[in-house]
Amino acid sequence: MIEVASTRTGTGEKGERARVRRGEDDPVFRQFPMVRTRNIGILAHIDAGKTTTTERILYYTGKTYKVGEVDEGTAVMDWMPQERERGITITSAATSCLWKDHWINIIDTPGHVDFTVEVERSLRVLDGAVAIFEAVAGVQPQTEAVWRQANRYGVPRVCFVNKMDRVGADFFRTVRMVRERLGANAVPIQVPWGSEDSFCGVVDLIEMRALRWPEEGLGETFEVLPVPPELLPLAREWRGRLFEALAEVDDHLLAMFVEGEEPAPEELRRALRQATLKMQVFPVLAGASLKNKGVQPLLDAIVAYLPSPLDMPSVRGMNPGNGKTEERSPEDSEPLTALAFKVMSDPYVGRLTYLRIYSGTLAAGRAVLNASRSKKERVSRVLRMHADYREDVEAAFSGDIVAVVGLKQTFTGDTLTDPSYPIILEPPSFPEPVISVAIEPKSAADQDKLSDALRKLAEEDPTFKVRVDDETGQTVISGMGELHLEVLVDRLMRDFGVEARVGRPQVAYRETVRRAVRGVEGKYIRQTGGRGQYGHVVLDVEPAAAGTGLAFESRIAGGVIPKEFIPAIEAGVREAMETGVLAGYPVVDLKVTLTDGSYHEVDSSDIAFKIAGSVALKEAVKRADPILLEPVMEVEVVTPDEYMGEVLQDLTGRRGRIESIDVAAGGGREIRALVPLAEMFGYATDLRSRTQGRASYVMRFHSYQEAPPAVTEEILARSRPADR
Ligand code: GDP
């Protein structure tokens, strides 16, 4: 039995005394009250310095709270070997550290857009974020993509302008870009002290003092000095702007502003915290992580301005018992509600599931309900992850982020709850994979090992899919981009010891319909002696919004078809949608309404109705003007001016539609275009040779769009005739 007691302390710190008792003399206390917990992510363009900054954070926090040995020489966040080689962070590891009596969980997010799913799932579970910008390049295309995702999830952010030591660094230009390009109210709370070679620290505009780091050593200590006279006018100007920005959103500061009173630091901090939480203001700091400058004030800002779990609204979800919406507030005394946001197979402990706990407590050894799948599970261990080592804890509490061992049937996006109080939280949304390759083991003996490994990888990553082609018997894997698949194939060898050969990447086309059809019948009736089969349905099928997949509704009234057969009909529809009528690609974005049908007392069965549903759907799609959809990518190219014509011409030749041409921050032009994925294979090499390697590009999935007739014809000619 677990007993939870939660009381407020005199200071109003909720959850300070929360206690989980496992047996009479075995109390477990929560280490930190929620108000002193931060769950944050670090969002950045690849190469902006996320890894370096995270390492410094872990180093400085490790200095104040020696929980274990942090290896100073290596990137402790990126523990997968291929991440180090490629220099990108792929997995979303959660790392815990302690800063000035605050517990900070850092949820790692990747900078590469092929891995947007990792960003999405991190954004779903974190409360606030640090956005890192590069002082030379400013706002880069990928930062923009991630920034927009963070807006969608309502994540408050502080901004860190990194690499202030580099030639061409410009703090104020970067701030301007954040304001203009991202439309965010970015407000400096520091101004840099020096720039490029001379960058040595910052002026703290709230306290009006200067901080200077030594050139030597790892920057653990720094000097706190009066603002140097030459910086005073600049600092006064920007403190004035900070005050003004806060006066716009805070009545108390507005009154002081009107009266001409100078606000005290704590006044500014209070208003800044409120404004940051509401995303009215994004505080901006400056630093150079590699040079060990400016990271401690960033930690202070995380603690001072980013939300604690208590600042977050109660989570909402659906009670699977009655379909009603329910809420859970962030309290230890509430029933357990947790979201699984990452599943990893770990070489040491096996299956590791990362959880965000929204309410209640979770003790090791406890039985929980996977409400999303109605499965009972047992949590055998609760682990706190410190990047390169783990710490067993007896329990985790509301607002926490931990990894657990023992869950066998829980997947990314599932909700775990107290068995008596089930609720299903909305899972994070994942894009559909757009690119596929056939894969086979190098030696036939490895076939089983390969299937097993692929299944495990697909469990970890909802944007990675595996299927066996019915016609060819080939195993086909699909993902979000060439790099995504490359990394997964790499992991097959490293983590699972399976060497595999892959084919040429193929575009993952889809099919859908253009018009609505009504009253399409599907029957499966066999009545020749003995017990027969009887299924009969009538469907309406119409186009649905992009991203819908299938919206199925039953309008059966008066028991024309008994309720128990309806799930079988939906299953039949779903199955039929896996293979389209045009070229056998999956059919998406349909609204299907079951309007009528009939049944037979004896002969009707699930299987008969399933087949009837499937027959009706195929027929309806054929009549509803089916079309082929192709994935279209958003491509952003930054190129020196002299190659612009060439780059544009090439993009147009690839059926690209140019959306905009801007002046790039670091010089040159930035071209944005929408280009079908089918035309983008080999682009990296082409672009390099056309521009002497001086242009760069990023590409991310934009949408599925109708393929032009010529393309459709070619694909239909290539593909097998679908089972019509
Ligand atoms: P990530 O891809 O965002 O994780 O970026 P990294 O932390 O790996 O940094 C990318 C590159 O920028 C590395 O070569 C770092 O050494 C370098 N870097 C990071 N921070 C700074 C900085 O403050 N100043 C300079 N000059 N280089 C930096």
Side-chain angles (χ1 to χ4, degrees):
M1 255 318 279
I2 296 162
E3 194 187 299
V4 179
S6 175
T7 54
R8 276 166 192 263
T9 64
T11 56
E13 292 191 335
K14 268 192 193 175
E16 176 106 73
R17 294 285 175 79
R19 184 161 42 118
V20 172
R21 195 178 290 162
R22 303 193 301 156
E24 278 304 291
D25 311 307
D26 187 17
V28 183
F29 291 94
R30 85 178 280 148
Q31 277 172 294
F32 283 90
M34 248 182 288
V35 62
R36 283 195 268 123
T37 299
R38 298 289 176 274
N39 294 315
I40 63 149
I42 300 185
L43 310 175
H45 184 282
I46 190 162
D47 262 4
K50 192 182 64 189
T51 311
T52 312
T53 308
T54 310
E55 277 181 279
R56 295 303 184 273
I57 287 178
L58 295 179
Y59 178 70
Y60 297 135
T61 56
K63 282 275 150 186
T64 57
Y65 179 61
K66 206 75 191 155
V67 281
E69 285 309 308
V70 175
D71 182 357
E72 297 170 15
T74 54
V76 289
M77 281 296 272
D78 294 351
W79 67 70
M80 282 166 54
Q82 33 318 33
E83 291 180 19
R84 267 180 222 165
E85 276 172 22
R86 288 170 198 273
I88 47 178
T89 311
I90 295 158
T91 49
S92 212
T95 309
S96 306
C97 60
L98 189 81
W99 180 251
K100 296 193 178 161
D101 231 12
H102 284 70
W103 190 252
I104 303 175
N105 295 312
I106 304 173
I107 299 115
D108 193 20
T109 55
H112 198 283
V113 274
D114 265 8
F115 305 103
T116 58
V117 55
E118 301 282 358
V119 182
E120 293 267 337
R121 70 170 134 215
S122 327
L123 289 174
R124 177 70 167 73
V125 298
L126 50 78
D127 301 327
V130 174
I132 301 189
F133 297 90
E134 234 241 38
V136 182
V139 175
Q140 291 161 291
Q142 285 180 4
T143 333
E144 219 171 316
V146 176
W147 188 272
R148 281 198 297 262
Q149 280 175 309
N151 284 346
R152 213 166 55 237
Y153 282 85
V155 175
R157 273 148 279 176
V158 299
C159 305
F160 184 64
V161 178
N162 189 32
K163 305 202 188 179
M164 278 305 302
D165 61 305
R166 276 193 54 196
V167 175
D170 189 333
F171 177 76
F172 296 105
R173 179 184 64 208
T174 305
V175 172
R176 230 172 16 248
M177 284 178 82
V178 176
R179 298 183 66 93
E180 286 166 12
R181 291 246 186 134
L182 305 177
N185 192 15
V187 180
I189 61 169
Q190 299 177 338
V191 293
W193 183 351
S195 197
E196 306 183 347
D197 266 359
S198 69
F199 177 70
C200 64
V202 296
V203 175
D204 169 349
L205 298 175
I206 291 176
E207 296 284 350
M208 281 303 265
R209 57 185 190 181
L211 313 178
R212 186 168 64 192
W213 279 263
E215 284 306 314
E216 302 298 316
L218 285 162
E220 297 97 323
T221 55
F222 52 90
E223 294 171 278
V224 179
L225 305 162
V227 181
E230 70 277 14
L231 275 177
L232 213 45
L234 185 74
R236 287 212 179 102
E237 179 196 334
W238 284 94
R239 188 180 209 259
R241 293 196 193 193
L242 170 63
F243 183 16
E244 201 177 329
L246 293 173
E248 274 175 28
V249 294
D250 186 277
D251 289 346
H252 189 61
L253 284 191
L254 178 63
M256 295 179 82
F257 191 78
V258 172
E259 297 295 318
E261 281 175 51
E262 264 304 294
E266 50 278 17
E267 267 309 316
L268 287 176
R269 270 194 291 265
R270 178 197 57 76
L272 186 57
R273 177 170 182 82
Q274 290 313 316
T276 308
L277 295 185
K278 292 187 200 144
M279 299 201 301
Q280 293 163 324
V281 166
F282 296 86
V284 189
L285 297 89
S289 300
L290 186 66
K291 299 294 161 74
N292 310 304
K293 297 188 173 92
V295 177
Q296 294 94 335
L298 176 63
L299 277 160
D300 290 342
I302 289 169
V303 161
Y305 308 121
L306 291 181
S308 87
L310 284 176
D311 294 309
M312 306 306 289
S314 302
V315 287
R316 287 159 160 270
M318 187 196 66
N319 179 333
N322 57 18
K324 295 225 169 84
T325 301
E326 290 184 7
E327 279 193 4
R328 298 280 186 270
S329 53
E331 308 249 6
D332 294 336
S333 53
E334 285 261 304
L336 170 72
T337 309
L339 184 79
F341 66 96
K342 173 103 189 159
V343 177
M344 288 178 73
S345 44
D346 180 275
Y348 303 104
V349 295
R351 206 160 184 274
L352 201 57
T353 311
Y354 284 82
L355 300 180
R356 159 78 198 237
I357 301 180
Y358 287 98
S359 65
T361 61
L362 173 64
R366 177 169 167 180
V368 294
L369 176 73
N370 179 333
S372 310
R373 294 172 200 272
S374 302
K375 295 254 163 60
K376 276 269 178 68
E377 292 259 50
R378 184 167 296 278
V379 169
S380 58
R381 293 167 69 187
V382 179
L383 303 173
R384 214 174 257 302
M385 307 302 287
H386 297 272
D388 60 348
Y389 74 99
R390 38 194 124 221
E391 176 192 5
D392 267 281
V393 291
E394 288 184 83
F397 299 81
S398 179
D400 226 335
I401 287 186
V402 286
V404 299
V405 182
L407 302 180
K408 296 195 175 66
Q409 307 182 74
T410 297
F411 297 87
T412 300
D414 289 356
T415 309
L416 296 171
T417 69
D418 183 317
S420 316
Y421 299 93
I423 183 172
I424 303 175
L425 303 175
E426 192 187 321
S429 60
F430 300 120
E432 284 292 316
V434 291
I435 179 169
S436 306
V437 297
I439 184 166
E440 58 181 27
K442 281 206 173 138
S443 78
D446 274 352
Q447 185 61 52
D448 286 351
K449 247 167 91 183
L450 177 70
S451 315
D452 192 48
L454 289 175
R455 186 180 49 76
K456 286 201 177 123
L457 289 173
E459 268 180 31
E460 288 178 18
D461 179 350
T463 57
F464 174 62
K465 301 254 158 76
V466 184
R467 69 184 175 85
V468 176
D469 190 303
D470 294 344
E471 292 276 299
T472 61
Q474 273 181 324
T475 302
V476 177
I477 57 175
S478 316
M480 297 311 299
E482 283 176 278
L483 181 60
H484 185 202
L485 293 182
E486 253 175 56
V487 166
L488 287 160
V489 171
D490 229 44
R491 284 195 60 197
L492 281 177
M493 203 172 86
R494 284 174 201 270
D495 300 357
F496 299 93
V498 193
E499 285 204 57
R501 251 197 301 266
V502 296
R504 255 170 39 100
Q506 307 284 330
V507 174
Y509 294 97
R510 300 261 186 280
E511 299 180 16
T512 190
V513 300
R514 216 162 10 192
R515 57 187 199 93
V517 289
R518 313 227 169 263
V520 181
E521 269 186 302
K523 283 185 189 161
Y524 185 67
I525 300 173
R526 297 281 178 276
Q527 290 174 313
T528 46
R531 194 181 157 183
Q533 293 286 3
Y534 190 102
H536 172 213
V537 304
V538 180
L539 301 180
D540 288 352
V541 170
E542 56 200 294
T548 307
L550 167 66
F552 183 87
E553 191 192 341
S554 164
R555 290 226 193 101
I556 290 297
V560 185
I561 300 174
K563 255 211 198 91
E564 73 242 41
F565 293 127
I566 291 177
I569 299 171
E570 181 174 347
V573 165
R574 218 171 265 285
E575 198 176 287
M577 285 175 67
E578 281 169 19
T579 328
V581 301
L582 281 180
Y585 291 107
V587 183
V588 294
D589 304 337
L590 297 188
K591 175 159 180 4
V592 176
T593 314
L594 175 63
T595 57
D596 203 358
S598 60
Y599 79 108
H600 185 278
E601 281 293 346
V602 181
D603 292 348
S604 278
S605 64
D606 273 352
I607 187 75
F609 271 108
K610 188 173 168 196
I611 296 173
S614 170
V615 169
L617 187 95
K618 288 234 150 148
E619 183 54 34
V621 169
K622 265 188 221 165
R623 290 195 217 161
D625 202 356
I627 52 169
L628 199 71
L629 298 174
E630 63 174 347
V632 171
M633 311 303 278
E634 189 172 348
V635 181
E636 285 161 5
V637 186
V638 176
T639 171
D641 286 326
E642 60 262 44
Y643 300 111
M644 187 172 76
E646 182 105 11
V647 170
L648 285 174
Q649 200 182 2
D650 178 52
L651 285 171
T652 319
R654 294 172 186 270
R655 294 197 280 129
R657 202 172 74 211
I658 309 299
E659 299 277 286
S660 67
I661 303 172
D662 293 309
V663 176
R669 298 287 164 143
E670 188 180 297
I671 302 164
R672 288 165 186 250
L674 296 180
V675 191
L677 174 64
E679 308 287 339
M680 287 301 290
F681 292 126
Y683 188 65
T685 322
D686 258 25
L687 184 69
R688 210 176 302 131
S689 65
R690 274 169 206 279
T691 63
Q692 322 272 323
R694 291 181 54 206
S696 63
Y697 81 106
V698 293
M699 166 169 105
R700 62 177 162 266
F701 173 68
H702 180 267
S703 55
Y704 268 100
Q705 294 184 9
E706 183 172 351
V711 174
T712 305
E713 258 161 50
E714 195 195 316
I715 293 160
L716 294 194
R718 260 202 331 247
S719 73
R720 60 206 151 94
D723 43 338
R724 300 173 188 234

Short mmCIF file of all heavy atoms in Angstrom, two decimals, residues 44-56 78 87-89 111 132 134 160-167 199 287-293, ligand 1:
data_model
loop_
_atom_site.label_atom_id
_atom_site.label_comp_id
_atom_site.label_asym_id
_atom_site.label_seq_id
_atom_site.Cartn_x
_atom_site.Cartn_y
_atom_site.Cartn_z
N ALA A 44 17.70 24.55 -30.53
CA ALA A 44 18.72 25.25 -31.29
C ALA A 44 18.87 24.69 -32.67
O ALA A 44 18.54 23.54 -32.93
CB ALA A 44 20.07 25.16 -30.58
N HIS A 45 19.37 25.52 -33.54
CA HIS A 45 19.80 25.09 -34.85
C HIS A 45 21.04 24.23 -34.63
O HIS A 45 21.81 24.48 -33.70
CB HIS A 45 20.15 26.32 -35.67
CG HIS A 45 20.52 26.01 -37.08
ND1 HIS A 45 21.74 25.52 -37.44
CD2 HIS A 45 19.81 26.14 -38.22
CE1 HIS A 45 21.76 25.34 -38.74
NE2 HIS A 45 20.61 25.71 -39.25
N ILE A 46 21.22 23.23 -35.48
CA ILE A 46 22.41 22.39 -35.37
C ILE A 46 23.64 23.30 -35.43
O ILE A 46 23.66 24.28 -36.19
CB ILE A 46 22.39 21.36 -36.51
CG1 ILE A 46 23.45 20.31 -36.29
CG2 ILE A 46 22.52 21.97 -37.87
CD1 ILE A 46 23.20 19.07 -37.12
N ASP A 47 24.60 23.05 -34.56
CA ASP A 47 25.85 23.82 -34.51
C ASP A 47 25.76 25.15 -33.77
O ASP A 47 26.74 25.88 -33.69
CB ASP A 47 26.38 24.14 -35.92
CG ASP A 47 27.47 23.15 -36.30
OD1 ASP A 47 27.71 22.22 -35.50
OD2 ASP A 47 28.06 23.29 -37.38
N ALA A 48 24.60 25.49 -33.24
CA ALA A 48 24.49 26.76 -32.53
C ALA A 48 25.19 26.69 -31.17
O ALA A 48 25.52 27.71 -30.57
CB ALA A 48 23.03 27.15 -32.34
N GLY A 49 25.41 25.46 -30.70
CA GLY A 49 26.13 25.31 -29.44
C GLY A 49 25.31 24.66 -28.34
O GLY A 49 25.60 24.84 -27.16
N LYS A 50 24.32 23.88 -28.71
CA LYS A 50 23.49 23.24 -27.71
C LYS A 50 24.30 22.25 -26.86
O LYS A 50 24.21 22.26 -25.64
CB LYS A 50 22.32 22.52 -28.38
CG LYS A 50 21.29 22.09 -27.40
CD LYS A 50 20.19 21.35 -28.08
CE LYS A 50 20.76 20.09 -28.66
NZ LYS A 50 19.81 19.41 -29.52
N THR A 51 25.09 21.43 -27.53
CA THR A 51 25.87 20.44 -26.80
C THR A 51 26.86 21.12 -25.86
O THR A 51 26.97 20.76 -24.68
CB THR A 51 26.63 19.53 -27.77
OG1 THR A 51 25.70 19.08 -28.76
CG2 THR A 51 27.23 18.34 -27.08
N THR A 52 27.57 22.10 -26.38
CA THR A 52 28.57 22.79 -25.57
C THR A 52 27.90 23.46 -24.36
O THR A 52 28.39 23.37 -23.23
CB THR A 52 29.29 23.86 -26.41
OG1 THR A 52 29.67 23.26 -27.65
CG2 THR A 52 30.50 24.40 -25.71
N THR A 53 26.79 24.11 -24.59
CA THR A 53 26.10 24.80 -23.50
C THR A 53 25.60 23.79 -22.46
O THR A 53 25.74 24.00 -21.25
CB THR A 53 24.92 25.63 -24.05
OG1 THR A 53 25.42 26.46 -25.10
CG2 THR A 53 24.29 26.49 -22.97
N THR A 54 25.04 22.68 -22.94
CA THR A 54 24.56 21.66 -22.01
C THR A 54 25.70 21.09 -21.18
O THR A 54 25.57 20.93 -19.96
CB THR A 54 23.86 20.52 -22.78
OG1 THR A 54 22.92 21.09 -23.68
CG2 THR A 54 23.16 19.58 -21.83
N GLU A 55 26.82 20.84 -21.83
CA GLU A 55 27.98 20.34 -21.09
C GLU A 55 28.40 21.31 -20.00
O GLU A 55 28.72 20.90 -18.89
CB GLU A 55 29.17 20.19 -22.04
CG GLU A 55 29.19 18.93 -22.81
CD GLU A 55 30.43 18.92 -23.68
OE1 GLU A 55 30.42 19.55 -24.74
OE2 GLU A 55 31.42 18.31 -23.25
N ARG A 56 28.44 22.60 -20.35
CA ARG A 56 28.83 23.59 -19.35
C ARG A 56 27.82 23.63 -18.20
O ARG A 56 28.19 23.70 -17.04
CB ARG A 56 28.93 25.00 -19.97
CG ARG A 56 30.02 25.15 -21.00
CD ARG A 56 31.39 24.79 -20.45
NE ARG A 56 32.44 25.02 -21.41
CZ ARG A 56 32.84 24.15 -22.34
NH1 ARG A 56 32.29 22.95 -22.40
NH2 ARG A 56 33.80 24.46 -23.19
N ASP A 78 25.31 13.39 -25.28
CA ASP A 78 25.20 12.57 -26.49
C ASP A 78 25.91 11.25 -26.29
O ASP A 78 27.06 11.12 -26.59
CB ASP A 78 25.91 13.26 -27.67
CG ASP A 78 25.21 14.54 -28.04
OD1 ASP A 78 24.13 14.77 -27.52
OD2 ASP A 78 25.77 15.26 -28.87
N GLY A 87 27.81 14.48 -35.04
CA GLY A 87 27.70 15.78 -34.39
C GLY A 87 26.26 16.23 -34.22
O GLY A 87 25.98 17.41 -34.16
N ILE A 88 25.34 15.31 -34.19
CA ILE A 88 23.97 15.71 -33.93
C ILE A 88 23.40 14.88 -32.80
O ILE A 88 23.78 13.74 -32.60
CB ILE A 88 23.07 15.54 -35.17
CG1 ILE A 88 23.28 14.17 -35.78
CG2 ILE A 88 23.30 16.64 -36.17
CD1 ILE A 88 22.39 13.91 -36.96
N THR A 89 22.52 15.49 -32.06
CA THR A 89 21.92 14.80 -30.94
C THR A 89 20.61 14.20 -31.40
O THR A 89 19.73 14.90 -31.85
CB THR A 89 21.66 15.79 -29.81
OG1 THR A 89 22.86 16.51 -29.61
CG2 THR A 89 21.28 15.09 -28.55
N GLY A 111 18.66 19.11 -33.04
CA GLY A 111 18.65 20.29 -33.88
C GLY A 111 18.34 19.95 -35.33
O GLY A 111 18.07 20.83 -36.12
N ILE A 132 18.70 28.67 -28.18
CA ILE A 132 20.07 29.16 -28.41
C ILE A 132 20.19 29.69 -29.83
O ILE A 132 19.77 29.03 -30.79
CB ILE A 132 21.11 28.03 -28.21
CG1 ILE A 132 20.99 27.50 -26.79
CG2 ILE A 132 22.52 28.55 -28.48
CD1 ILE A 132 22.10 26.54 -26.42
N GLU A 134 22.87 31.74 -32.64
CA GLU A 134 24.26 31.95 -32.95
C GLU A 134 24.44 33.43 -33.20
O GLU A 134 23.71 34.00 -34.00
CB GLU A 134 24.52 31.18 -34.25
CG GLU A 134 25.64 30.23 -34.18
CD GLU A 134 26.67 30.65 -35.20
OE1 GLU A 134 26.86 31.87 -35.36
OE2 GLU A 134 27.24 29.74 -35.81
N PHE A 160 19.29 32.63 -25.60
CA PHE A 160 20.71 32.74 -25.29
C PHE A 160 21.44 32.98 -26.60
O PHE A 160 21.41 32.12 -27.48
CB PHE A 160 21.17 31.45 -24.62
CG PHE A 160 22.60 31.46 -24.16
CD1 PHE A 160 23.02 32.33 -23.16
CD2 PHE A 160 23.52 30.57 -24.71
CE1 PHE A 160 24.35 32.32 -22.72
CE2 PHE A 160 24.84 30.55 -24.26
CZ PHE A 160 25.25 31.43 -23.27
N VAL A 161 22.06 34.15 -26.73
CA VAL A 161 22.82 34.45 -27.95
C VAL A 161 24.25 33.99 -27.71
O VAL A 161 25.01 34.64 -27.00
CB VAL A 161 22.74 35.95 -28.31
CG1 VAL A 161 23.57 36.24 -29.56
CG2 VAL A 161 21.29 36.36 -28.52
N ASN A 162 24.57 32.84 -28.30
CA ASN A 162 25.85 32.17 -28.04
C ASN A 162 26.90 32.60 -29.08
O ASN A 162 26.59 33.24 -30.07
CB ASN A 162 25.63 30.66 -28.11
CG ASN A 162 26.83 29.86 -27.66
OD1 ASN A 162 27.58 30.30 -26.77
ND2 ASN A 162 27.04 28.69 -28.26
N LYS A 163 28.13 32.23 -28.83
CA LYS A 163 29.27 32.49 -29.74
C LYS A 163 29.53 33.98 -29.90
O LYS A 163 29.87 34.44 -31.00
CB LYS A 163 29.04 31.83 -31.12
CG LYS A 163 28.76 30.33 -31.05
CD LYS A 163 29.07 29.65 -32.37
CE LYS A 163 28.61 28.20 -32.36
NZ LYS A 163 28.87 27.50 -33.60
N MET A 164 29.37 34.73 -28.80
CA MET A 164 29.64 36.17 -28.85
C MET A 164 31.11 36.46 -29.14
O MET A 164 31.49 37.57 -29.47
CB MET A 164 29.24 36.82 -27.51
CG MET A 164 27.78 37.14 -27.36
SD MET A 164 27.14 38.17 -28.70
CE MET A 164 28.21 39.60 -28.59
N ASP A 165 31.96 35.44 -28.99
CA ASP A 165 33.40 35.62 -29.23
C ASP A 165 33.77 35.52 -30.71
O ASP A 165 34.89 35.82 -31.10
CB ASP A 165 34.18 34.54 -28.46
CG ASP A 165 33.79 33.15 -28.95
OD1 ASP A 165 32.57 32.83 -28.93
OD2 ASP A 165 34.68 32.38 -29.36
N ARG A 166 32.85 35.07 -31.55
CA ARG A 166 33.23 34.81 -32.95
C ARG A 166 33.30 36.09 -33.77
O ARG A 166 32.56 37.05 -33.53
CB ARG A 166 32.24 33.85 -33.59
CG ARG A 166 32.56 32.40 -33.31
CD ARG A 166 31.77 31.49 -34.19
NE ARG A 166 31.94 31.83 -35.61
CZ ARG A 166 31.14 31.39 -36.58
NH1 ARG A 166 30.13 30.62 -36.30
NH2 ARG A 166 31.36 31.75 -37.82
N VAL A 167 34.13 36.06 -34.78
CA VAL A 167 34.22 37.20 -35.70
C VAL A 167 32.87 37.36 -36.38
O VAL A 167 32.31 36.39 -36.87
CB VAL A 167 35.33 36.96 -36.75
CG1 VAL A 167 35.33 38.09 -37.78
CG2 VAL A 167 36.67 36.82 -36.07
N PHE A 199 35.15 40.05 -26.26
CA PHE A 199 34.01 39.66 -25.42
C PHE A 199 34.51 39.06 -24.11
O PHE A 199 35.21 38.06 -24.11
CB PHE A 199 33.13 38.65 -26.16
CG PHE A 199 31.97 38.16 -25.34
CD1 PHE A 199 30.90 39.01 -25.03
CD2 PHE A 199 31.95 36.86 -24.83
CE1 PHE A 199 29.83 38.56 -24.27
CE2 PHE A 199 30.88 36.41 -24.06
CZ PHE A 199 29.83 37.26 -23.78
N GLY A 287 26.35 35.18 -24.38
CA GLY A 287 27.43 34.37 -23.84
C GLY A 287 28.27 33.71 -24.91
O GLY A 287 28.06 33.91 -26.10
N ALA A 288 29.24 32.96 -24.45
CA ALA A 288 30.09 32.16 -25.34
C ALA A 288 30.40 30.89 -24.56
O ALA A 288 31.36 30.84 -23.79
CB ALA A 288 31.36 32.91 -25.70
N SER A 289 29.57 29.87 -24.77
CA SER A 289 29.70 28.65 -23.96
C SER A 289 31.08 28.04 -24.09
O SER A 289 31.67 27.60 -23.11
CB SER A 289 28.66 27.63 -24.38
OG SER A 289 27.39 28.16 -24.19
N LEU A 290 31.59 28.01 -25.31
CA LEU A 290 32.88 27.38 -25.53
C LEU A 290 33.97 28.10 -24.76
O LEU A 290 34.94 27.50 -24.30
CB LEU A 290 33.22 27.38 -27.03
CG LEU A 290 34.48 26.63 -27.43
CD1 LEU A 290 34.32 25.14 -27.17
CD2 LEU A 290 34.82 26.87 -28.89
N LYS A 291 33.82 29.41 -24.59
CA LYS A 291 34.81 30.20 -23.87
C LYS A 291 34.46 30.30 -22.39
O LYS A 291 35.00 31.14 -21.66
CB LYS A 291 34.93 31.60 -24.49
CG LYS A 291 35.40 31.57 -25.95
CD LYS A 291 36.84 31.05 -26.05
CE LYS A 291 37.21 30.56 -27.43
NZ LYS A 291 37.43 31.60 -28.42
N ASN A 292 33.48 29.51 -21.98
CA ASN A 292 33.08 29.45 -20.56
C ASN A 292 32.60 30.80 -20.03
O ASN A 292 32.92 31.19 -18.92
CB ASN A 292 34.23 28.93 -19.70
CG ASN A 292 34.82 27.66 -20.26
OD1 ASN A 292 34.11 26.68 -20.45
ND2 ASN A 292 36.11 27.68 -20.57
N LYS A 293 31.83 31.50 -20.85
CA LYS A 293 31.34 32.81 -20.42
C LYS A 293 29.83 32.89 -20.56
O LYS A 293 29.28 32.58 -21.62
CB LYS A 293 31.98 33.90 -21.30
CG LYS A 293 33.48 33.98 -21.17
CD LYS A 293 34.04 35.19 -21.90
CE LYS A 293 35.52 35.35 -21.61
NZ LYS A 293 36.36 34.66 -22.60
P1 GDP B 1 25.12 21.75 -31.36
O1 GDP B 1 25.12 21.15 -32.73
O2 GDP B 1 24.10 22.84 -31.25
O3 GDP B 1 25.04 20.78 -30.25
O4 GDP B 1 26.49 22.55 -31.25
P2 GDP B 1 27.86 22.19 -30.53
O5 GDP B 1 27.78 22.50 -29.08
O6 GDP B 1 28.31 20.86 -30.94
O7 GDP B 1 28.78 23.32 -31.16
C1 GDP B 1 29.00 23.41 -32.53
C2 GDP B 1 30.37 24.01 -32.78
O8 GDP B 1 30.39 25.36 -32.30
C3 GDP B 1 31.47 23.28 -32.05
O9 GDP B 1 32.59 23.26 -32.87
C4 GDP B 1 31.71 24.12 -30.82
O10 GDP B 1 33.02 24.03 -30.35
C5 GDP B 1 31.42 25.52 -31.35
N1 GDP B 1 30.97 26.43 -30.30
C6 GDP B 1 30.03 26.21 -29.36
N2 GDP B 1 29.89 27.29 -28.56
C7 GDP B 1 30.77 28.21 -29.01
C8 GDP B 1 31.12 29.52 -28.58
O11 GDP B 1 30.59 30.06 -27.62
N3 GDP B 1 32.07 30.16 -29.32
C9 GDP B 1 32.68 29.59 -30.39
N4 GDP B 1 33.59 30.30 -31.03
N5 GDP B 1 32.38 28.35 -30.80
C10 GDP B 1 31.45 27.67 -30.13
#
